[in-house]
Amino acid sequence: MDNEKALHDEQRLMRMMRKTLTSIVRDTAPRNGHPSPLSEATVLGIKDCLMVISVRETELSQLTGRTLDERPHFTDDTPNSHAVKISSIPKKSH
């Protein structure tokens, strides 16, 4: 149980760091012909950090049995699509 909590805490930490770094990039993006206030080395460092975070988030999702494409949803939401078994589709005669 403690190991599972630690993994979820680490996932939360990775998510917070990713959101903070992407907010910094968004806030400091060049606008109206002004150069970026960030040096090229800083931009590369941020890219490297985001790559490490992404790799670790993938590892953590595998360890916890989750997928990265999960999205929150309301329990009363109706699905936009539904699965159809291929065997239930009638064959066409040519």
Side-chain angles (χ1 to χ4, degrees):
M1 185 73 159
D2 291 330
N3 189 31
E4 187 175 324
K5 182 180 179 341
L7 290 175
H8 287 291
D9 288 347
E10 187 177 353
Q11 282 178 314
R12 195 171 126 258
L13 177 64
M14 292 291 118
R15 190 170 38 252
M16 288 170 49
M17 290 191 310
R18 179 176 36 82
K19 287 181 178 184
T20 300
L21 284 173
T22 55
S23 291
I24 291 168
V25 169
R26 197 172 20 258
D27 291 349
T28 59
R31 291 185 181 88
N32 303 328
H34 292 74
S36 173
L38 302 177
S39 70
E40 188 174 331
T42 300
V43 171
L44 290 175
I46 290 172
K47 286 180 181 180
D48 289 342
C49 287
L50 289 170
M51 182 60 69
V52 169
I53 290 169
S54 176
V55 168
R56 186 60 184 153
E57 283 180 321
T58 301
E59 291 171 350
L60 289 170
S61 69
Q62 291 170 346
L63 289 172
T64 58
R66 294 178 172 237
T67 63
L68 292 176
D69 61 349
E70 290 180 351
R71 299 284 183 251
H73 64 277
F74 293 104
T75 56
D76 61 345
D77 277 349
T78 55
N80 294 337
S81 62
H82 63 279
V84 177
K85 291 184 179 184
I86 293 177
S87 60
S88 69
I89 300 173
K91 292 181 180 181
K92 290 185 180 179
S93 58
H94 296 285

